[in-house]
Amino acid sequence: MRLLFLGDMVGRSGRTAVWERLPGLISDFRLDFVIVNGENAAGGFGITEEIFKLTLAAGADVVTTGNHVWDQREALEFSMREERFLRPANFPRGTPGRGSGVYLARNGARVLVSNIMGRVFMNPDLDDPFQAVERELAACPLGEQADAVVIDFHAEATSEKMCFAHFVDGRASLVVGTHTHQPTADHQILNGGTAYLTDAGMCGDYDSSLGMDKEEPLNRFLSKVPKGRFEAAGGPATICGVGVDISDRTGLAERIAPLRLGPRLEETVPSFWQGR
């Protein structure tokens, strides 16, 4: 199975770039399954139902989120009826929406996607992410109820992300970090066969501060006096993510490489996709 994960869409620039490029990527590389993190898609803060549906229309199979999931209040309502919209699974019991689901890939494989949020430098009141993923994997084990398992671990601390990946190594196809908006260069396959990347980066304008217009963040560092609101940067976007080839036999990763397309960062497409 061939899977693409795209990092946090930020604002109009980021979501438009994804909508424009994703159909061609699916066609050109015959992708079986696509996951997009959409928690910053609406002006940098949250996601609307319209943006969610347009992301699906572009070819995404699932949209994951994170700590900004409820910034647009309408998400509280549409999350309860949209099975392909995920919020972190370790939110408190009774939170609207769902944290994971099993979806059918284009090749017929059953894919468990789980969205889990870290606690270090984030929200220490959340349920333990390690216990949360243990429950998800026990309910839908790789090789039994799922042919592939993908976890979007939305977290700040690299140590928490790496320990989380080692905890599920051999029981998940891919653990990919989101939240920091900075693509890392540590893509690898762990000893047990789980593909891992500390952060997929963002789909947005990299002439910015994490996808936001850089003037106000810079002002706050220099003066400590807010002059206005953070606004999503509107320049040309680079889309960042990761491509993974997953064994149809074991559900574990065979290959992993970053995908980056746009004007600011060095462009790269997984080389192992070229010959398919």
Side-chain angles (χ1 to χ4, degrees):
M1 185 177 78
R2 182 150 291 179
L3 180 142
L4 172 66
F5 182 98
L6 294 181
D8 311 43
M9 292 190 297
V10 182
R12 181 186 301 275
S13 178
R15 66 181 188 254
T16 301
V18 170
W19 296 343
E20 290 177 349
R21 300 296 295 266
L22 185 53
L25 291 171
I26 294 171
S27 174
D28 291 346
F29 300 115
R30 298 166 64 184
L31 303 180
D32 297 307
F33 202 79
V34 176
I35 304 166
V36 178
N37 187 294
E39 73 145 7
N40 301 115
F45 299 96
I47 184 170
T48 65
E49 185 170 15
E50 180 183 18
I51 292 172
F52 164 71
K53 289 184 174 179
L54 288 169
T55 304
L56 294 186
D61 295 287
V62 180
V63 174
T64 55
T65 56
N67 56 302
H68 287 290
V69 60
W70 308 132
D71 284 4
Q72 302 295 322
R73 302 296 291 177
E74 65 184 84
L76 288 164
E77 192 273 326
F78 78 78
S79 66
M80 294 188 285
R81 50 183 163 75
E82 295 289 356
E83 293 186 355
R84 294 195 280 171
F85 181 80
L86 299 182
R87 47 81 174 159
N90 54 330
F91 275 7
R93 186 182 300 273
T95 301
R98 70 198 71 227
S100 64
V102 178
Y103 309 94
L104 205 62
R106 294 170 183 83
N107 67 340
R110 300 161 299 169
V111 185
L112 170 65
V113 182
S114 188
N115 192 183
I116 296 177
M117 201 159 108
R119 297 195 293 187
V120 179
F121 306 131
M122 296 280 285
N123 188 338
D125 296 327
L126 289 176
D127 293 344
D128 182 353
F130 292 85
Q131 292 185 18
V133 77
E134 190 67 38
R135 290 193 296 270
E136 300 295 339
L137 295 176
C140 190
L142 180 65
E144 296 181 26
Q145 281 78 37
D147 301 307
V149 174
V150 180
I151 303 167
D152 176 349
F153 191 46
H154 197 79
E156 181 78 29
T158 54
S159 58
E160 186 180 25
K161 290 180 175 181
M162 298 187 80
C163 284
F164 181 91
H166 287 300
F167 180 66
V168 302
D169 186 21
R171 299 187 290 161
S173 313
L174 169 67
V175 173
V176 57
T178 56
H179 179 65
T180 73
H181 295 194
Q182 297 297 332
T184 57
D186 60 339
H187 57 281
Q188 59 183 292
I189 296 177
L190 303 179
N191 293 338
T194 295
Y196 172 73
L197 178 65
T198 296
D199 204 285
M202 69 173 178
C203 298
D205 179 5
Y206 276 83
D207 184 17
S208 67
S209 174
L210 306 182
M212 310 305 287
D213 185 280
K214 55 184 178 286
E215 295 306 320
E216 181 57 19
L218 182 58
N219 163 67
R220 295 190 190 188
F221 278 114
L222 294 174
S223 72
K224 311 304 178 187
V225 179
K227 291 183 178 178
R229 299 176 58 189
F230 284 178
E231 302 284 348
T238 298
I239 64 172
C240 287
V242 61
V244 184
D245 276 0
I246 298 168
S247 169
D248 294 332
R249 181 178 61 85
T250 66
L252 296 172
E254 296 179 324
R255 291 172 287 272
I256 178 174
L259 179 140
R260 294 168 194 158
L261 297 172
R264 301 290 298 191
L265 307 183
E266 181 179 359
E267 290 199 348
T268 179
V269 173
S271 59
F272 51 83
W273 284 5
Q274 305 295 331
R276 182 169 177 177

